[in-house]
Amino acid sequence: MKKIAIMLLVIIQFISASAALAQTPAITQGLNYLFSVQNPDGSWGNEISQRDVLPATVAVIETLQRFSYPYTAQYQYADTWLRSQGLETSDHLSERVQALSMAGTDSNLLLSYIDELSYA
């Protein structure tokens, strides 16, 4: 799922750069696909292994931000899911900070939490 999300993100970014913000049928189909495979908890990725869930969710959040979809229910569910993930693990921490800061969370606040974890 991670590879699919990353490939889709790259394709969508390429299309958006060439389409100059025009929403093509390919973009619409890609977004509809992402919305249809979102997990019930708001994340994307393989719920069984949980290994790829965080990076896949971050990639989709960034894609939705890029296409100005932060006010959809799917985006809000994903944002809530991402915020509920503890910062105590360092896996994919920079991606989480970037995605949350894109969603409007104060990045300095997020970085201060990381500093607190480093000294604990």
Side-chain angles (χ1 to χ4, degrees):
M1 180 67 183
K2 177 182 176 185
K3 290 180 184 178
I4 293 171
I6 291 172
M7 285 181 56
L8 187 57
L9 178 64
V10 170
I11 291 168
I12 290 173
Q13 287 176 344
F14 176 76
I15 291 170
S16 69
S18 63
L21 300 178
Q23 184 140 334
T24 65
I27 292 172
T28 301
Q29 289 174 347
L31 292 170
N32 287 337
Y33 169 76
L34 289 175
F35 294 152
S36 72
V37 298
Q38 186 174 23
N39 296 326
D41 66 0
S43 66
W44 277 271
N46 186 344
E47 290 180 287
I48 297 169
S49 74
Q50 291 291 316
R51 191 175 62 111
D52 296 332
V53 172
L54 192 114
T57 302
V58 168
V60 174
I61 286 174
E62 290 174 348
T63 301
L64 295 176
Q65 272 286 341
R66 187 166 307 278
F67 287 103
S68 301
Y69 277 85
Y71 304 108
T72 62
Q74 293 87 351
Y75 181 90
Q76 297 302 319
Y77 295 146
D79 183 58
T80 300
W81 178 86
L82 187 60
R83 290 174 193 270
S84 72
Q85 303 306 300
L87 291 175
E88 55 276 351
T89 61
S90 60
D91 293 347
H92 311 290
L93 200 51
S94 63
E95 292 94 336
R96 291 161 65 183
V97 168
Q98 178 182 352
L100 288 171
S101 64
M102 287 176 65
T105 303
D106 181 10
S107 58
N108 290 329
L109 178 64
L110 293 168
L111 294 174
S112 72
Y113 291 143
I114 295 168
D115 288 341
E116 288 175 25
L117 294 171
S118 298
Y119 297 114

